[in-house]
Amino acid sequence: WLEAALVAAAAAGLLLVAARHLWALRWRLSRDRTSALPLPRGSMGWPFLGETLHWLIQVSTRQRQRCLGRGGGGNPRGWEFLPFTRWAASLPVLCLSLSLRTQILARVFSHAALEVYLPPIQRLVSWELRGWRHHPGPIAVYASAKALTFRIAVRILLGLRLEEEPFEELSRAFEQLVENLFSLPLNVPFSGLRKGIKARDLLHTYMEKAILEKLQRKDPDAHRDALDFIINSAKEHGQDFTMQELKESAIELIFAAFFTTASATTSMILLLLKHPLVIKKIQLELASNGLTGSEYCCHPYLTLEKLNSLRYLDCVIKEVLRLLPPVSGGYRTALQTFELDGYQIPKGWSVMYSIRDTHETASIYQSPPDTFDPERFWVSLEDQEENKTSASLRFHYIPFGGGVRNCIGKELAKAILKMLAVELVSTASWELATAHFPKMQTVPIVHPVDDLQVYFHSLKAGHESSSGTGKVNA
């Protein structure tokens, strides 16, 4: 038996070595022979697993970006059941022609549509922050931010009016869906895939009920939310979506406004807590624009025009998203062979780009990239008009990705962050409730490991109030 076991082990080892060499040969043969450039250095890891394990370590330690061959680690195609490549590929908005998709999304997140969304969003933000200010103990900021942004997503984007119990159930289901999004393809009891499918089905049940109510409405001018805009825009273009397609569109809209916005909200509060002088500058800008604070609301019904006039606040939001972008990176498939640092990236390969590393290493930033400095984005109005800054930052500042596949909800997300910042610095002061700031985890999105525990206090106009590490005037 011992000899047989040794022979079996030796045979398994030889097969493994042979498989590793054949796997490497496969990727060497994928090079574009019309290009004289070599392939990037490195290996494609182990058969079938690729460099997935190495990729996870790489992301967690924030190492520099690298290119990955199709099927290798980090490629979503290696995780084939719940990721977007499988179940979201049929989203109706994505399946429409690019021109029609652009027209519909442009309407859903247009200036006019955002103006419609902003008043009810502000009411939700004011209501939530009032609860933070009057809470007797510390607030778990990330958990509270998720509750707020999920409420915005289901009420403002989908038009759902839920009682507290189903709201909590929906929120938990969506979190479970996201947590198991990249589960291994093992559809067995208690697996991540099974949990994700169960959560998705529960979400679809609620979505179907809400969509049926929308479709049965008689008043064609009653639509006031993003899902209504999608339904009506599609009809205008002669498209009739199935119920399944509409439910998947609803899930996509929640993705556009939930987790990443909650992450950015938490990062903004954390960074402002560390930099009270930035809070002071925001307050001075608000005062100069007539947006003085009160205990309940800084100003009734902020408009996009008013928000966009706050130039320093815009710099603050940009710097938050630069230093702590919610998403670490993304993937693109090479449509044709191209050169990168003296190497060829063959057509068909998947390329992983790092948003965070790009923001930390770009030489265009004047002050040290690892510091929080909103004024790095401050430019003269003349430069703004000539669009010099946006052109120079095109591939150095990418918190929402870039190109035709950038974040569809980026303008809405920025408006929510600005509105929350205005409300927050006008009505409250806050201080850390723990001895140390929590560690930040970057996978799957940036968030504090043990949440960010903060005390919030009502800020009376005309009085001084503590702001964590210093004093500021309201």
Side-chain angles (χ1 to χ4, degrees), residues 336-355:
Q336 62 183 24
T337 301
F338 66 94
E339 178 183 351
L340 179 65
D341 290 340
Y343 298 97
Q344 66 160 281
I345 308 301
K347 175 182 177 181
W349 275 33
S350 291
V351 179
M352 180 181 78
Y353 65 91
S354 173
I355 294 174

Side-chain angles (χ1 to χ4, degrees), residues 126 130 133-134 294-298 423 427:
S126 297
R130 191 177 304 133
R133 294 194 305 269
H134 295 288
S294 68
E295 184 180 359
Y296 299 105
C297 181
C298 61
E423 293 269 0
T427 63

Side-chain angles (χ1 to χ4, degrees), residues 93-328:
V93 172
L94 300 180
C95 284
L96 297 175
S97 66
L98 181 60
S99 60
L100 182 54
R101 172 183 181 268
T102 302
Q103 292 177 44
I104 291 180
L105 292 182
R107 183 175 180 182
V108 170
F109 294 104
S110 66
H111 187 284
L114 291 179
E115 287 283 18
V116 171
Y117 307 150
L118 285 186
I121 288 176
Q122 186 179 13
R123 287 194 293 270
L124 284 175
V125 168
S126 297
W127 175 80
E128 183 73 20
L129 292 187
R130 191 177 304 133
W132 293 9
R133 294 194 305 269
H134 295 288
H135 192 273
I139 294 290
V141 173
Y142 183 54
S144 299
K146 285 191 293 184
L148 171 61
T149 54
F150 188 78
R151 198 177 296 275
I152 289 174
V154 297
R155 287 192 179 180
I156 309 305
L157 298 184
L158 303 184
L160 298 184
R161 297 295 184 267
L162 300 174
E163 298 298 329
E164 211 53 42
E165 185 175 340
F167 172 82
E168 295 293 338
E169 185 179 17
L170 266 184
S171 179
R172 287 194 300 269
F174 195 81
E175 287 199 46
Q176 191 171 63
L177 174 64
V178 174
E179 289 172 0
N180 295 285
L181 193 61
F182 294 98
S183 298
L184 289 171
L186 300 174
N187 192 1
V188 296
F190 308 109
S191 67
L193 176 62
R194 182 68 63 86
K195 293 177 182 177
I197 292 175
K198 182 179 179 181
R200 181 192 60 186
D201 291 344
L202 177 61
L203 288 167
H204 280 185
T205 299
Y206 280 102
M207 297 301 108
E208 182 170 351
K209 180 180 178 181
I211 292 168
L212 284 174
E213 292 177 357
K214 289 177 178 293
L215 297 177
Q216 292 170 0
R217 278 201 307 247
K218 302 298 183 182
D219 184 2
D221 298 322
H223 62 275
R224 305 293 288 176
D225 57 69
L227 186 57
D228 279 324
F229 275 116
I230 287 181
I231 294 173
N232 287 277
S233 296
K235 287 181 178 179
E236 292 174 6
H237 290 88
Q239 294 282 340
D240 288 323
F241 293 152
T242 66
M243 178 57 68
Q244 182 66 20
E245 289 172 334
L246 290 174
K247 288 187 292 186
E248 289 173 344
S249 289
I251 298 298
E252 183 189 27
L253 287 173
I254 298 178
F255 270 108
F258 181 31
F259 263 105
T260 52
T261 308
S263 169
T265 296
T266 305
S267 297
M268 179 181 70
I269 293 174
L270 182 146
L271 290 171
L272 289 179
L273 181 59
K274 290 182 176 180
H275 300 86
L277 289 180
V278 174
I279 297 177
K280 176 64 175 177
K281 290 182 179 180
I282 296 175
Q283 291 172 329
L284 291 175
E285 182 177 55
L286 295 180
S288 66
N289 282 271
L291 298 175
T292 54
S294 68
E295 184 180 359
Y296 299 105
C297 181
C298 61
H299 198 275
Y301 298 148
L302 284 168
T303 63
L304 282 178
E305 183 179 0
K306 292 176 183 176
L307 288 177
N308 292 334
S309 68
L310 302 173
R311 293 180 58 208
Y312 182 73
L313 178 59
D314 185 62
C315 294
V316 172
I317 300 303
K318 286 181 178 178
E319 181 69 345
V320 169
L321 296 175
R322 185 200 67 82
L323 193 60
L324 292 173
V327 179
S328 299

Side-chain angles (χ1 to χ4, degrees), residues 13-59:
L14 289 174
L15 286 174
L16 188 60
V17 171
R20 178 77 183 270
H21 283 287
L22 290 173
W23 184 255
L25 177 63
R26 175 192 179 189
W27 295 111
R28 286 198 297 270
L29 293 176
S30 70
R31 71 181 305 273
D32 188 342
R33 298 185 181 279
T34 63
S35 173
L37 297 174
L39 292 174
R41 294 185 218 174
S43 72
M44 287 301 166
W46 292 96
F48 305 109
L49 289 177
E51 290 185 315
T52 300
L53 297 178
H54 177 72
W55 172 76
L56 291 173
I57 297 173
Q58 191 177 53
V59 171

Side-chain angles (χ1 to χ4, degrees), residues 42 68 174 232 425 447:
L68 301 172
F174 195 81
N232 287 277
V425 302
H447 65 280

